[in-house]
Amino acid sequence: MSDIKGLKCRECARAYPIRPVHVCEFCFGPLEVDYDYAAIGARVTRQSIEAGPATMWRYRALLPVDGEIVVGRYCGLTPLVEARNLGKALGLRRLYLKNDTVNHPTLSFKDRVVAVAVNKALEFGFPVVACASTGNLANSVAAHAAEGGLTSFIFIPADLERGKVLGTSIYAANVVAVRGTYDEVNRLCSEIADKHGWGFANINLRPFYAEGSKTFGYEIAEQLGWRAPDHVVVPAAGGSLITKIWKGLREFHGLRLIPGVPTRMHVAQAAGCAPIVTAVRANTDLIRPVKQPTGIAKSLAIGNPADGYYAFKTVKQSGGMGEEATDEEIVDAMKLLAATEGIFAETAGGVTLAATRKLVQQGAIGRDEVTVACITGNGLKTQEAVAAALRPPIHIQPTLRSFDEILTQSNGAGPSLVDGKAA
Amino acid sequence: MSRRRVHLTFQGQLADEPALWNMSQEFGLVFNIRQADLEGGFGWVMLELEGGDDQLEAAVRWLEGRGVIVAPIEQDIVAG
């Protein structure tokens, strides 16, 4: 049973009971779950957490789910990879990758937030869950709805490539393609959420949904041996993840589970859509929306980020920085990660690592400092982003001689068979 | 009568004209500002609009025609 007082407005602190609402009626500020930390602190210890399941639900005292965990029971506790090879390539001795490419069930960090949201939807008695998404969120909502026996509606822009829809349709979701501009799709979904009273993952379930991201931070701290890292580099779309990792680390400190939070939170975005990084660099909390995001990092293409202001505050309060990456830098970083650590990340992972590389080059991250790069999704979902940058197979005849010839070429002036490896 | 909660981003428009007052006169809408942060004509406003459905739609298009970014109060909902 969670020790939750209710919901509270992040702006005016007005209190609300637990129900599926997300905006303060008075100031329109976002609502957030309000915990009774004294009660939680009285019963949560490192030992009690370690005795919990090998999933993110070991932290359920700090998550807003009251009843039985019905869906997403295997989510989280993904590997914190000690990335020695990649660290060497980037000039870092203590680099770790929080690897949500292998998160259960749909291979992205979105499973954390959706698992909380759909369990909450079941508690509220919603027969339908929904979201508007072009990728990871859609996959995850559809999968969790299927597991929970709920109907799901997924809204997508009509021009979305068919390949992107398959990973959602397979879960028997109702996929609705909306003909219209991005802004029109956006507004329609808000109106549908208002009218039909369904559980919309990132609308009326948002206060609960967003809390799932804290587990990313909890796991980092526990897996580092109950300490916070010196740096975390986080990719940003709507900006929620970086704020919740920071919140998770600070909650752990408040509960005396870790000794302190010296962590600098750095935000990473693609050059084609970097409203938060732009604000961080300009040192202004006025986020200028990007009307038409461009580039290959589609999962981060949020031009008008709901949590941009809070992401900005997190970066500034923690002493972090912002960095962006071009498409070429993103692809290079994805290839480097795969070639050095055997991890195939989606484009957001490339953004994170390209930004990390720049922060190291600038001296913002020191060689011996403990650094965690957040790898939030699996590259198998966005193969088209790197397809053109990879060498095609080498064709040979079915003879030893034919194979030996290409080996000889490789050792001589021909193309290297270890192309892409870190030097 | 319907109500709609919107997030508007102005990119200089407020420096030159009283855009919200003009909108309310043009379409017979009542607006109620709940939060705003503006600096030199740039910034955002969260407000509630009240009026007929057709007038609300027309007002949104009118604002967009003036370069104002009109989003629901949740801002970008379509996630990756």
Side-chain angles (χ1 to χ4, degrees):
Chain A
M1 187 74 183
S2 293
D3 293 299
I4 292 173
K5 297 178 188 173
L7 299 175
K8 189 166 80 174
C9 176
R10 283 174 90 166
E11 292 301 315
C12 72
R14 194 174 294 266
Y16 292 83
I18 291 289
R19 56 190 168 93
V21 291
H22 63 300
V23 171
C24 175
E25 293 294 327
F26 292 87
C27 75
F28 288 179
L31 301 183
E32 190 169 47
V33 177
D34 186 18
Y35 296 92
D36 182 347
Y37 289 113
I40 294 169
R43 62 191 179 86
V44 172
T45 63
R46 291 180 182 179
Q47 291 72 28
S48 71
I49 290 172
E50 286 166 351
T55 69
M56 73 174 200
W57 300 110
R58 67 208 276 115
Y59 312 108
R60 70 169 294 175
L62 288 155
L63 294 171
V65 177
D66 289 326
E68 181 192 354
I69 306 302
V70 178
V71 299
R73 282 170 295 163
Y74 306 100
C75 182
L77 210 65
T78 55
L80 185 72
V81 176
E82 186 179 5
R84 290 181 183 162
N85 299 330
L86 180 62
K88 191 175 172 189
L90 298 184
L92 290 172
R93 287 164 54 101
R94 299 161 82 188
L95 174 65
Y96 296 85
L97 305 171
K98 183 59 180 163
N99 184 13
D100 264 19
T101 68
V102 291
N103 203 9
H104 190 275
T106 66
L107 309 178
S108 89
F109 98 96
K110 291 289 187 191
D111 288 329
R112 299 175 183 275
V113 286
V114 172
V116 175
V118 175
N119 276 298
K120 208 66 196 172
L122 288 163
E123 285 179 24
F124 287 134
F126 285 121
V128 177
V129 289
C131 73
S133 167
T134 57
N136 288 327
L137 178 61
N139 300 163
S140 191
V141 168
H144 284 87
E147 188 186 7
L150 297 174
T151 298
S152 63
F153 274 82
I154 310 295
F155 296 90
I156 62 170
D159 58 357
L160 189 65
E161 307 93 301
R162 185 156 174 74
K164 295 247 177 165
V165 183
L166 290 177
T168 300
S169 303
I170 188 68
Y171 302 111
N174 297 292
V175 180
V176 181
V178 183
R179 286 188 291 271
T181 65
Y182 181 93
D183 288 346
E184 287 169 334
V185 177
N186 213 41
R187 287 200 294 269
L188 174 68
C189 291
S190 175
E191 289 164 24
I192 290 170
D194 257 359
K195 179 176 178 183
H196 288 280
W198 295 342
F200 254 82
N202 51 349
I203 303 182
N204 57 351
L205 294 172
R206 187 172 182 82
F208 314 99
Y209 161 94
E211 289 291 283
S213 287
K214 293 190 307 183
T215 62
F216 207 99
Y218 298 152
E219 290 176 20
I220 289 170
E222 184 182 349
Q223 290 170 317
L224 283 174
W226 297 104
R227 57 162 295 185
D230 298 313
H231 301 272
V232 181
V233 186
V234 189
S240 175
L241 178 61
I242 190 169
T243 68
K244 294 297 182 178
I245 293 173
W246 174 243
K247 180 181 179 183
L249 294 174
R250 300 212 306 176
E251 283 181 336
F252 262 23
H253 180 229
L255 295 168
R256 300 181 182 179
L257 298 171
I258 57 175
V261 186
T263 313
R264 275 173 274 175
M265 304 293 298
H266 304 285
V267 63
Q269 294 196 291
C273 184
I276 301 171
V277 169
T278 301
V280 167
R281 286 177 168 170
N283 200 26
T284 172
D285 61 11
L286 285 175
I287 310 290
R288 288 181 181 268
V290 174
K291 272 301 281 179
Q292 289 187 315
T294 57
I296 61 173
K298 306 290 186 201
S299 65
L300 301 182
I302 299 289
N304 197 2
D307 286 304
Y309 166 73
Y310 298 105
F312 169 86
K313 272 179 55 176
T314 298
V315 170
K316 289 296 175 181
Q317 283 176 3
S318 69
M321 298 181 71
E323 260 306 339
E324 61 185 38
T326 65
D327 283 357
E328 189 179 355
E329 291 166 340
I330 294 167
V331 170
D332 283 350
M334 290 169 71
K335 289 170 66 179
L336 181 63
L337 171 64
T340 54
E341 298 295 339
I343 295 171
F344 186 13
E346 65 164 12
T347 46
V351 170
T352 301
L353 292 175
T356 303
R357 191 202 304 249
K358 290 181 178 180
L359 292 166
V360 173
Q361 288 167 348
Q362 293 160 13
I365 298 178
R367 176 178 171 78
D368 292 313
E369 293 176 315
V370 176
T371 302
V372 176
C374 300
I375 308 299
T376 50
N378 195 300
L380 293 170
K381 297 186 183 193
T382 57
Q383 294 183 54
E384 72 284 354
V386 287
L390 301 178
R391 200 171 58 178
I394 301 164
H395 291 260
I396 62 169
Q397 299 302 318
T399 63
L400 272 175
R401 182 178 167 188
S402 180
F403 181 64
D404 288 344
E405 274 176 11
I406 61 114
L407 271 187
T408 306
Q409 285 172 13
S410 171
N411 293 332
S416 167
L417 287 182
V418 289
D419 184 35
K421 277 279 184 194
Chain B
M1 297 288 269
S2 298
R3 288 182 179 183
R4 196 175 289 185
R5 299 179 299 192
V6 292
H7 182 284
L8 308 179
T9 305
F10 291 86
Q11 303 179 86
Q13 296 89 342
L14 280 184
D16 302 325
E17 63 163 309
L20 295 179
W21 189 85
N22 286 346
M23 175 201 69
S24 96
Q25 295 300 303
E26 179 88 16
F27 302 101
L29 300 177
V30 176
F31 68 89
N32 184 3
I33 296 176
R34 301 301 183 94
Q35 273 195 62
D37 191 356
L38 295 152
E39 202 173 283
F42 173 80
W44 53 267
V45 176
M46 285 201 272
L47 77 167
E48 188 168 47
L49 291 169
E50 188 173 346
D53 286 335
D54 291 345
Q55 284 73 29
L56 287 168
E57 277 302 318
V60 167
R61 284 196 295 275
W62 183 86
L63 286 166
E64 288 183 326
R66 282 172 151 63
V68 179
I69 298 172
V70 184
I73 205 74
E74 300 86 4
Q75 295 170 259
D76 275 4
I77 293 165
V78 184

